[in-house]
Amino acid sequence: MVDLKAWLSLQREKGGLRSLRPVVRRKNGRVTLAVDDTRELLDFSSNDYLALAEHPLLIAAAQQALSRFGTGSGASRLMSGDLSVHHELEEAVARLKGKEGALTFGSGYMANAGIIPALVDRHDFIFSDRLNHASIHDGCRLSGARLLRFRHNDLNHLEDLLKEKRGRGSALIVVESIYSMDGDRCPLRELVEIKERFGCLLMVDEAHATGVFGQNGGGVIEEDGVGEAVDLAMGTFGKALGSYGAYVAGNKEMIDYLVNRARSFIFSTALPPAVAAASLAAVQLVRREPDLRRELHEKTTYFKGLLRTGGYNADLGSSQIIPILIGESAAALNKADLLRQQGIFATAVRPPTVPEGTARLRFSITRHQSKADLAQAARALLEIIDI
Ligand SMILES: *Cc1c(COP(=O)(O)O)cnc(C)c1O
């Protein structure tokens, strides 16, 4: 048992102690952090990229589901919590991702922690990008499979590991299409070639890509035209889709199998109907309105352009997630504080969320931000970072 007091004070010293900071009001991409504080901060910390969490269609869909089904789903899907709205949502997701079927989960964490152990066990191998989200990592460890982590986005390293280490068991390759803390992209086309050559299953987490990329908002797998080759197209409703929960899309056998084997699906209460209905409205909306994406990408390009013009030359990623590398945790926290004083709310991301020595400010661009907001944020940021 750890000494709690000692652990907490050590973390406090290192600038590694996290604490909760409630937002007391949030509207139109502006947040207030204290009840007695009238100042609004521009929110650059939210994953609600398309600003759907406040969209009238999602709110109306949730309200309708509330009056039709009540607040809770009442049971797990395999018991009596299986509602028609869950099926409508799964059909819409399957269409969006170009797959035969889909299955919803309580959250992205639960999806990854349930799907991976259902597919591989201690006789098998997992090849996982080193920067994969903690929920993927935990799913891998829970599975008991032999876990081999390749250097971030380094497919040569992956190929070496496959040649050297892969035994006779089955093998799962798992990646994200857009990395949540770096905003960069997995080279999916090249990865598909490798997956096919080595006969592996491929799982792609599109938490930050669904709704944002692809002609219909189907994610990077749609944009890169690799949907067919991706065996498990996983993603969440809690980010660009403005709701909560997660899904995986795949062929019919895969979905039937997971219904029977994914423990985080089986042993957990079904998504609340209002949440499922809001997710359904979001999936329909992102298909119908490519302008939502276009606007987000324009704003992202504009913001990055301002940073470049201001002399910032480091990597800015290739998505709406923009990492500003700082280094030490304490320095990142300090810079986040300085930004807050300038009316900008961007999160300092620290270990263990990112590797030691790579603490950063994470800016996410959302549709809420106007050009003036983006200019204000770029100015404030350029003032406090070393160029
Ligand atoms: C956010 C995220 C998750 C977890 O999803 P939740 O619904 O928040 O639990 C999983 N994978 C990635 C890549 C994420 O960014």
Side-chain angles (χ1 to χ4, degrees):
M1 175 69 195
V2 284
D3 178 342
L4 305 186
K5 202 178 215 161
W7 189 91
L8 289 167
S9 62
L10 178 67
Q11 293 302 317
R12 201 170 287 120
E13 255 166 55
K14 289 200 307 190
L17 192 65
R18 299 152 166 232
S19 55
L20 297 166
R21 178 190 283 274
V23 164
V24 295
R25 231 165 54 84
R26 189 180 66 172
K27 191 86 192 155
N28 300 327
R30 282 156 168 76
V31 295
T32 310
L33 294 179
V35 189
D36 52 358
D37 191 350
T38 50
R39 228 164 40 114
E40 288 185 327
L41 305 178
L42 295 178
D43 187 6
F44 282 85
S45 69
S46 166
N47 300 318
D48 182 20
Y49 306 116
L50 299 176
L52 295 191
E54 292 174 47
H55 196 287
L57 284 180
L58 271 73
I59 293 173
Q63 282 168 340
Q64 267 173 26
L66 273 174
S67 28
R68 190 163 151 218
F69 292 109
T71 50
S73 59
S76 66
R77 296 279 299 280
L78 287 171
M79 302 304 277
S80 60
D82 190 25
L83 305 175
S84 53
V85 64
H86 296 128
H87 290 263
E88 290 166 44
L89 174 58
E90 286 165 352
E91 280 159 28
V93 167
R95 254 194 322 281
L96 182 70
K97 304 303 275 190
K99 290 290 187 189
E100 287 174 11
L103 189 65
T104 54
F105 288 79
S107 70
Y109 187 98
M110 287 174 62
N112 286 328
I115 294 164
I116 298 170
L119 292 170
V120 286
D121 64 20
R122 62 192 174 79
H123 304 291
D124 304 319
F125 293 80
I126 300 174
F127 297 85
S128 174
D129 188 288
R130 228 178 242 167
L131 291 192
N132 273 339
H133 191 263
S135 58
I136 297 176
H137 191 60
D138 292 359
C140 293
R141 292 203 307 186
L142 201 53
S143 74
R146 176 108 187 264
L147 177 58
L148 298 150
R149 300 172 82 190
F150 57 94
R151 286 191 292 270
H152 177 52
N153 270 346
D154 184 343
L155 299 189
N156 291 326
H157 188 213
L158 167 63
E159 201 169 334
D160 288 346
L161 287 176
L162 278 161
K163 281 181 190 146
E164 281 167 33
K165 305 279 164 93
R166 173 160 186 202
R168 267 173 301 164
S170 49
L172 171 70
I173 299 173
V174 54
V175 297
E176 296 177 28
S177 60
I178 298 291
Y179 282 86
S180 54
M181 296 300 147
D182 292 70
D184 58 349
R185 210 183 251 245
C186 176
L188 283 179
R189 292 210 187 102
E190 291 87 335
L191 182 61
V192 160
E193 188 276 313
I194 291 176
K195 163 245 149 122
E196 278 168 358
R197 186 146 44 89
F198 287 88
C200 306
L201 275 178
L202 175 60
M203 173 165 172
V204 179
D205 181 334
E206 294 228 88
H208 296 274
T210 299
V212 174
F213 293 97
Q215 185 144 34
N216 296 301
V220 176
I221 67 168
E222 183 191 8
E223 192 162 296
D224 284 359
V226 296
E228 193 85 18
V230 173
D231 302 285
L232 298 121
M234 177 270 172
T236 67
F237 299 118
K239 285 159 184 163
L241 296 173
S243 178
Y244 186 74
Y247 63 83
V248 65
N251 68 24
K252 190 168 179 322
E253 285 90 56
M254 179 64 81
I255 301 306
D256 290 347
Y257 177 78
L258 291 174
V259 167
N260 286 276
R261 295 283 301 205
R263 295 173 63 84
S264 62
F265 172 82
I266 300 168
F267 297 107
S268 193
T269 299
L271 279 173
V275 171
S279 302
L280 172 60
V283 170
Q284 292 166 339
L285 191 65
V286 298
R287 266 188 86 92
R288 211 165 55 227
E289 290 191 22
D291 281 350
L292 296 170
R293 280 182 283 294
R294 205 165 300 138
E295 191 185 334
L296 175 66
H297 295 313
E298 275 168 20
K299 288 179 172 174
T300 301
T301 305
Y302 178 70
F303 185 68
K304 288 181 181 176
L306 291 175
L307 295 183
R308 289 281 182 244
T309 311
Y312 187 80
N313 287 318
D315 193 9
L316 292 173
S318 45
S319 70
Q320 73 283 6
I321 301 165
I322 303 173
I324 305 291
L325 217 63
I326 304 291
E328 293 310 311
S329 293
L333 279 180
N334 174 255
K335 294 205 187 294
D337 270 341
L338 291 174
L339 283 176
R340 261 200 299 280
Q341 289 162 23
Q342 300 295 316
I344 308 297
F345 186 43
T347 30
V349 187
R350 293 165 284 159
T353 306
V354 292
E356 279 304 328
T358 71
R360 65 200 65 185
L361 297 169
R362 178 183 183 274
F363 275 76
S364 38
I365 306 303
T366 74
R367 269 184 62 246
H368 283 301
Q369 295 144 9
S370 67
K371 279 198 166 176
D373 295 341
L374 295 167
Q376 184 190 336
R379 229 174 8 250
L381 178 59
L382 287 165
E383 251 167 51
I384 59 155
I385 50 177
D386 309 317
I387 295 176

